[in-house]
Amino acid sequence: MFEKVLIANRGEIALRIIRTCKELGVSTVAVHTTVDQDSMHVRMADEAVCVGRPASVNTRESYLSERNIIAACEITGADAIHPGYGFLAENSEFVEKVNEIGIKFIGPSAEHVRLMGDKIEAKSVMRANGVPCVPGVETGLESIDEVHGAARFLGYPVIIKATAGGGGRGMRQVKSPTELEQAYVQARQEAHAGFGDSRVYIEKLVTNGRHIEIQVLGDGRGNSIHFGERDCTIQRRHQKLLEETPSPVIDSRMREEIGEICCKAISSLGYEGAGTVEFLYQSGKFYFIEMNTRLQVEHPITEMVYGVDLVEEQLRIAYGHELTFSQEDLECRGHAIEARINAETVPGFVPCPGRVELFHSPGGLGVRMDSNLYNGYTIPPNYDSLVGKLIVHAVDRSAAIARLERALGELIVHPINTTVPLFQQLIRDERFHASDYNVHWLENWIEEIGEKLRG
Ligand code: ADP
C-alpha cells in the first residue's frame, strides 16, 4: 500500500479520505490555504502544507494550483495524490503531470478524465459502447443556424449545455424557437466564464425525468463492478440536495440491467478507479447524460447499503490491486439517504459563513455525519457552502425517512443558517413520501412553501 498520500482538497471530503488512510496505516498530508489553517482536515492529517491564499475568481491558486500541489507532494515525499471532488479532480493535464513525475494520481488515467470531461465525446463513446443516451446533436454548435437546425431536428423543448460543463452551470432550457438565440448566446457566455470553453451542445429536454446514477469501479485491466444506483432527483438549479439509494422507482431487474451495461462500457474502456455514470430516467428508460471520473459527494449512501469503503477501494486499485469484490459478493441492504447540510439561508440559498459557536452532531443507530465543523470553527466565505452531509441508514425507505427526521432535529450549527429547515419541510411532504417527483419539481415546491421556510 502507499506510504503517504497527499489529499488535494479541503472540508469534509479531505477529512473523509484521511479517515480511511488512517485505518489502512497510510500517512496523510493535508494542504490548506491561509484561511483554512485551523481546519479539521489540517488537524487530523499527519502533516500539513500551506499552498497559498484562497483563490480569487477564475484564478488557479492554492487548491487549484497544479504547481503548488505538486511541490507539496515533493516536499513531503508523498507517493500518491487523492484529489477528492472538485478542484483538480477532473483536470486531465494535472493527472498527466502528476503521473509523469512518478506520483500516483488516485483516479483514472488522464485520457479517461479528458474523454469524460468533454461531454460531447463522452456521449459518443458511451453510445458506441452500448449505453443509451439522451437524444441530442453531438457536435459543437458553431452558429445560430446550426442551433436552429439541431433544435428543429430534435423537437422542442430542448436544453443547451456546456461541453465542458459541471455543477449544473451553463445550461439553458428552450421551449420554443423564439427563445433559442438568446439562450444559445447566454449558455456560451456562461460556459466561457465558468469553464474557459464556450463550446455548447444541444439535447432533447427530458421533461419528467429522475436523476439516476450508477456507481462503478474498474481495475484498469478490463474488470469492473457496479454498486447499484443513487437517486439524486431532489435538485435545485441542477444541483443535488438530497440523495437516496436504492431508488424508489428502480427494481432489481432494472438495476442489474443498467449496471451491467455500465460495467461493459467501462470494462471495454479499461477504466481505472471509481466513477459514476449519470442518467436521466423516464418511463422505464435510461438516458446517459455524463460520467464523473471521481468520488462523488453522495458516495456515502452507497457505502452504507453495500457495506464497502469506496475510498479504500480507490486506494487499493490505484496501488495496483485487483478488485476486492466480485459482483455476486455485493448485496444492497436497507435504504440510505443523504441530506446536504449547506451553510445557506433558505429559501434563497444565500451563503451564511461565520463562526460556529455550538456544533452538535447527531448520532445513534444508523446515523453518519461527515462534517468538518467543530465548536469555534469559522466557516470561511471563500468556498462552497457544503459543511456537512447527514447520512442515515435503516431497513427501508420509510424507516430511513423517520431516522432522518430524528437526526435533523438533533443537529445544531448555532448561529449559522443551514439547509436543515428545508429538509424538515421536505420529508413531511406527501409527494416526497410517495416519491412522486422529477428533477424539476423541487424548485417549484420551494417557491410554494417559501414562506414557511422563512418562518
Ligand atoms: P453537470 O455536469 O453540470 O452536473 P449534468 O449533465 O450532469 O450537468 O446534468 C445535471 C442536471 O441537469 C441533471 O441531473 C438534470 O437535472 C439536468 N439536465 C441535464 N440534462 C438534461 C436534459 N437533457 N433534460 C432535462 N434535464 C437535464
Side-chain angles (χ1 to χ4, degrees):
M1 185 39 72
F2 299 114
E3 281 182 15
K4 197 186 272 190
V5 170
L6 180 138
I7 296 107
N9 218 300
R10 65 181 296 284
E12 67 83 22
I13 195 62
L15 204 53
R16 157 77 194 86
I17 296 160
I18 291 169
R19 285 179 171 142
T20 292
C21 289
K22 277 185 192 281
E23 290 175 16
L24 295 175
V26 175
S27 300
T28 52
V29 181
V31 292
H32 64 91
T33 56
T34 45
V35 299
D36 269 346
Q37 61 200 11
D38 296 323
S39 290
M40 199 49 106
H41 77 282
V42 175
R43 294 186 183 193
M44 290 294 164
D46 297 308
E47 291 169 73
V49 179
C50 181
V51 287
R53 279 200 283 268
S56 30
V57 179
N58 282 345
T59 56
R60 305 199 67 78
E61 294 162 52
S62 51
Y63 298 119
L64 283 168
S65 163
E66 299 171 23
R67 214 183 46 189
N68 290 8
I69 299 291
I70 290 172
C73 259
E74 286 173 335
I75 292 164
T76 54
D79 44 2
I81 295 182
H82 195 306
Y85 53 70
F87 295 123
L88 295 168
E90 286 167 296
N91 180 323
S92 60
E93 282 168 25
F94 176 66
V95 179
E96 210 160 73
K97 277 186 203 152
V98 168
N99 287 336
E100 259 170 26
I101 56 169
I103 297 169
K104 177 67 185 168
F105 178 84
I106 300 173
S109 66
E111 184 202 337
H112 287 151
V113 174
R114 185 180 300 113
L115 173 69
M116 296 302 172
D118 183 316
K119 292 178 158 200
I120 297 180
E121 262 195 74
K123 271 181 87 176
S124 62
V125 166
M126 291 304 249
R127 182 175 284 132
N129 278 286
V131 179
C133 295
V134 180
V137 174
E138 270 101 69
T139 51
L141 302 168
E142 296 302 334
S143 72
I144 188 64
D145 287 343
E146 273 179 33
V147 188
H148 273 294
R152 246 193 327 269
F153 170 74
L154 292 171
Y156 289 88
V158 294
I159 184 166
I160 301 178
K161 299 169 70 172
T163 309
R169 287 173 302 154
M171 269 182 234
R172 283 280 181 286
Q173 297 182 11
V174 189
K175 307 248 164 17
S176 72
T178 50
E179 299 167 18
L180 194 64
E181 183 157 0
Q182 195 188 6
Y184 170 67
V185 171
Q186 283 174 346
R188 277 181 75 95
Q189 279 167 353
E190 216 171 297
H192 182 71
F195 315 108
D197 181 346
S198 60
R199 285 177 306 147
V200 295
Y201 66 109
I202 192 165
E203 273 179 355
K204 184 90 186 146
L205 182 79
V206 178
T207 49
N208 191 23
R210 293 179 77 106
H211 178 114
I212 305 286
E213 57 182 36
I214 308 294
Q215 174 72 56
V216 292
L217 278 182
D219 68 357
R221 281 168 272 173
N223 303 305
S224 61
I225 47 173
H226 72 85
F227 294 82
E229 79 284 0
R230 291 183 288 257
D231 189 323
C232 314
T233 304
I234 296 293
Q235 302 181 353
R236 175 183 172 267
R237 299 200 175 157
H238 309 305
Q239 283 185 310
K240 300 159 191 168
L241 271 171
L242 177 143
E243 303 94 349
E244 62 183 302
T245 184
S247 166
V249 300
I250 304 293
D251 63 27
S252 55
R253 186 188 54 81
M254 287 148 77
R255 177 172 308 119
E256 287 321 311
E257 262 176 40
I258 194 68
E260 211 171 292
I261 288 173
C262 293
C263 282
K264 262 196 194 143
I266 74 149
S267 289
S268 80
L269 291 172
Y271 185 84
E272 177 184 316
T276 299
V277 189
E278 295 195 334
F279 295 91
L280 287 169
Y281 170 83
Q282 181 173 300
S283 313
K285 291 211 168 85
F286 288 91
Y287 302 99
F288 171 79
I289 44 176
E290 67 161 346
M291 177 165 180
N292 289 321
T293 53
R294 54 165 162 84
L295 194 66
Q296 303 270 99
V297 175
E298 59 273 20
H299 76 277
I301 54 172
T302 301
E303 297 186 320
M304 302 312 281
V305 295
Y306 281 94
V308 293
D309 179 335
L310 289 170
V311 174
E312 177 176 344
E313 294 309 310
Q314 286 188 298
L315 262 72
R316 289 195 187 286
I317 292 168
Y319 197 68
H321 289 301
E322 285 174 10
L323 296 172
T324 317
F325 310 94
S326 67
Q327 196 65 55
E328 296 73 50
D329 298 330
L330 296 174
E331 191 191 344
C332 171
R333 282 172 192 265
H335 197 96
I337 307 179
E338 172 183 279
R340 296 194 188 195
I341 311 300
N342 296 339
E344 287 170 347
T345 309
V346 290
F349 293 83
V350 182
C352 184
R355 188 178 150 91
V356 179
E357 300 299 342
L358 179 64
F359 172 60
H360 176 75
S361 175
L365 183 65
V367 175
R368 166 176 170 181
M369 182 79 195
D370 279 19
S371 173
N372 55 317
L373 296 178
Y374 61 85
N375 288 323
Y377 173 66
T378 298
I379 302 166
N382 316 74
Y383 301 106
D384 190 278
S385 44
L386 182 80
V387 290
K389 302 184 309 204
L390 174 53
I391 302 122
V392 294
H393 183 214
V395 284
D396 59 24
R397 186 170 192 261
S398 64
I401 294 173
R403 186 158 283 164
L404 180 59
E405 183 161 19
R406 190 270 290 169
L408 285 166
E410 289 179 20
L411 176 61
I412 301 172
V413 193
H414 180 74
I416 303 297
N417 291 334
T418 69
T419 39
V420 166
L422 174 105
F423 297 123
Q424 286 175 323
Q425 288 290 336
L426 177 69
I427 61 180
R428 282 179 212 136
D429 193 281
E430 270 174 34
R431 292 278 291 272
F432 179 74
H433 278 263
S435 306
D436 177 19
Y437 44 80
N438 60 36
V439 289
H440 312 289
W441 174 71
L442 190 80
E443 297 223 23
N444 297 330
W445 177 84
I446 291 172
E447 277 191 16
E448 276 168 29
I449 63 127
E451 275 315 309
K452 275 195 199 162
L453 289 172
R454 268 185 207 99

